[in-house]
Amino acid sequence: MLLEVKNLTKIFTVGFLRRKEIVAVKDVSFNVKESEFVSLVGESGSGKTTTARMILRLLRPTSGSVVFRDRDVWSLRTLNDLRWYWRQVHGIFQDPFASFNPLYKVDRVFYQVFTLLGDNDVDKESLVNEALKEVGLRPEEVLGRYPHELSGGQRQRLMIARCYLLKPKLILADEPISMIDASTRAGILQLFSKLRDEYKTSIIFITHDLGLAYYVSDRVLIMHKGSIVEEGSPEEIMEHPQHPYTKRLREDVPLLYRKWSGF
Ligand SMILES: Nc1ncnc2c1ncn2[C@@H]1O[C@H](COP(=O)(O)OP(=O)(O)OP(=O)(O)O)[C@@H](O)[C@H]1O
Ligand SMILES: [Mg+2]
């Protein structure tokens, strides 16, 4: 097993005088195998991003554990061990602006990759150009610019190109294509599938869109109010949804998808 998420819970405390607890993620467990495309589907506020942030080691869980290749991720301490994790697990976020340092040109995110990989003898420029081409960007339209000088969709695609350079073992893609137009979107999803097929990369794809998840994933997890309420193959979820919430989500899948796929 590549990734084991065990009984993960996150409780946020908000407010000052009247403190209130928000259970964002409640006792979530699931596994991801090597070379598996898993979608995490749920409505806004269901705890998807919070789950992803705990797996990426950006947010400490209230309880539970994240185990990657038999090592407890939250017990990693030394810089070497953390690098070991960051080389293999990569996040692509909903708001890609947060992934860039506004003071530096965007090129920096690529050259950091070579530092992380410890690769100095490679032709960096042609590798970067190739990665940009994979996500449908022309080098001259993005390189040498600052993050605020690019569109949201261009920033998102830059992070995906970075991911392509790193070839991580696991990608956590949180609504990675929300700002990208429909035609480029299909290309990005194909790129993820290509990484899975050629490099055995596993993908956790976070989305509101069950129709999209149906098309791209090997397995679908349905998240509702902080818990995973149902899990299955895309066909099982679409043809025989068990949980009332899954049934509701399925009703929301645009008619067009259902027509194409016969549901
Ligand atoms: N830092 C925080 N402090 C307090 N509450 C938070 C914090 N981050 C998230 N929450 C709350 O936790 C719950 C889950 O949020 P989360 O961002 O994980 O949802 P999501 O499924 O990613 O939603 P969306 O689809 O809108 O991105 C929400 O009720 C949210 O308001
Ligand atoms: Mg989110």
Side-chain angles (χ1 to χ4, degrees):
M1 207 51 74
L2 186 72
L3 178 79
E4 294 162 80
V5 172
K6 298 181 191 167
N7 311 103
L8 214 53
T9 295
K10 181 69 195 184
I11 302 172
F12 291 110
T13 310
V14 292
F16 182 60
L17 287 176
R18 252 180 257 157
R19 288 162 77 83
K20 195 177 142 214
E21 288 194 336
I22 295 174
V23 184
V25 173
K26 195 162 54 185
D27 201 24
V28 161
S29 301
F30 64 92
N31 293 334
V32 180
K33 292 197 281 272
E34 187 176 64
S35 193
E36 194 180 24
F37 199 134
V38 177
S39 291
L40 187 57
V41 184
E43 67 197 348
S44 184
S46 55
K48 305 181 299 295
T49 298
T50 306
T51 303
R53 293 183 66 209
M54 290 191 280
I55 296 172
L56 285 165
R57 226 184 164 285
L58 297 172
L59 183 71
R60 187 177 284 282
T62 307
S63 61
S65 61
V66 178
V67 178
F68 180 79
R69 293 190 148 171
D70 298 323
R71 294 177 80 177
D72 183 336
V73 165
W74 280 96
S75 307
L76 301 175
R77 288 278 173 272
T78 67
L79 194 56
N80 255 346
D81 285 348
L82 290 172
R83 280 214 181 103
W84 169 86
Y85 192 58
W86 291 331
R87 263 201 305 269
Q88 301 185 81
V89 181
H90 193 84
I92 299 173
F93 298 96
Q94 233 166 353
D95 170 15
F97 203 69
S99 309
F100 292 95
N101 184 329
L103 300 176
Y104 293 95
K105 291 179 179 163
V106 296
D107 311 36
R108 186 168 179 261
V109 298
F110 293 113
Y111 293 105
Q112 284 171 333
V113 169
F114 297 112
T115 314
L116 192 60
L117 293 174
D119 272 355
N120 281 315
D121 303 333
V122 291
D123 181 356
K124 293 177 188 162
E125 198 181 323
S126 60
L127 285 174
V128 169
N129 288 349
E130 183 201 320
L132 290 173
K133 226 173 90 193
E134 285 285 348
V135 298
L137 288 173
R138 279 176 292 121
E140 65 273 17
E141 85 186 297
V142 289
L143 294 181
R145 303 237 207 145
Y146 289 96
H148 72 268
E149 297 175 323
L150 299 173
S151 74
Q154 285 173 326
R155 281 193 293 263
Q156 238 169 4
R157 279 188 278 166
L158 274 176
M159 291 318 286
I160 297 167
R162 179 179 196 262
C163 193
Y164 181 80
L165 269 183
L166 261 173
K167 309 236 169 18
K169 286 305 294 173
L170 175 67
I171 299 173
L172 275 113
D174 191 352
E175 302 279 359
I177 51 179
S178 55
M179 294 184 181
I180 299 174
D181 56 88
S183 60
T184 319
R185 223 178 249 190
I188 301 289
L189 287 169
Q190 270 164 15
L191 185 67
F192 287 148
S193 303
K194 180 172 156 184
L195 285 171
R196 173 193 55 189
D197 298 339
E198 288 179 15
Y199 302 98
K200 296 197 167 156
T201 302
S202 305
I203 295 125
I204 299 178
F205 178 65
I206 294 178
T207 180
H208 298 128
D209 187 341
L210 181 60
L212 197 56
Y214 170 78
Y215 275 105
V216 297
S217 19
D218 301 313
R219 198 148 49 89
V220 178
L221 310 173
I222 306 286
M223 198 159 184
H224 181 51
K225 294 187 177 161
S227 303
I228 290 185
V229 295
E230 189 162 352
E231 163 177 0
S233 71
E235 293 76 21
E236 283 166 354
I237 296 283
M238 280 297 236
E239 287 170 42
H240 310 289
Q242 302 296 316
H243 194 275
Y245 178 68
T246 315
K247 290 183 183 162
R248 208 157 26 95
L249 272 181
R250 188 183 160 282
E251 290 307 310
D252 292 342
V253 172
L255 224 50
L256 205 59
Y257 276 136
R258 281 193 268 157
K259 214 160 140 189
W260 282 339
S261 46
F263 295 121

